[in-house]
Amino acid sequence: MNRILSRRNLLKFSAGIIGTGIVTAGLGSELVFPQKAVAKDELTPEQALQELMQGNDRFVKRKRKNPHQTFTRLVEVAKGQKPFASILGCADSRVPAEIIFDQGFGDLFVCRVAGNIATPEETGSLEFGSFMLGSKVIMVLGHKRCGAIEATVKGAQVPGQIATLLAAIKPGIESVKNQPGDKLENACKANVLTQIEKLKTSPILSQLVAEKKLIIVGGYYDLDTGRVTLIS
Ligand SMILES: [Zn+2]
């Protein structure tokens, strides 16, 4: 385990991806890679969450600053990225992270998949975003009237690989199916909390949380107002 979690080895692994766009070697390789991404200002996890929520507040109030969206910024972060926050959000076209949090190039490490589920691939991506790139907050972001959650709640028969999404969502929403209130909203929120618990089973993420280098929170996006509410 120590070997797996060795920062030195993982840094080499990271540099291979960042520098070349290709994973050029496995963990523990002694090959030499280009240097790690350029560091930017450090935020505490709480400050990172505050920055995220303030961006959403600007968005809701029609006071967007559209930060970091110039070509100058593009060139700056082309040399290396240091996103301050990660989002595990739904693939839904109505929930674009950079817009609803009023951010730009190099700010957010965004993983999107229908139902915002913590699959091994999404979890691995988020481990990379926090352990290697230094993202200080991971927000699992569910949303109102999520189609993937709705199909799961209804027990819909779906073709192809769509069924894998419903299978990943179903166990986590069982506990709220008889609760009073809006069944779909209850399920969307329960799914967020379930996916957070899944992320916390990652040794890499839980270690960062224990070291107070990372917080993992849940958010719920209201499609009608644009407002993100913290739910954990
Ligand atoms: Zn959705």
Side-chain angles (χ1 to χ4, degrees), residues 133-145:
L133 303 180
S135 167
K136 297 297 189 300
V137 56
I138 295 174
M139 179 181 284
V140 179
L141 183 63
H143 68 95
K144 205 170 183 176
R145 298 193 293 276

Side-chain angles (χ1 to χ4, degrees), residues 2-33:
N2 284 340
R3 184 174 172 80
I4 292 171
L5 291 179
S6 160
R7 184 175 288 263
R8 179 170 161 267
N9 286 336
L10 281 173
L11 282 171
K12 289 179 187 171
F13 180 62
S14 163
I17 294 173
I18 295 167
T20 66
I22 302 167
V23 180
T24 49
L27 298 178
S29 165
E30 293 305 317
L31 291 174
V32 176
F33 294 112

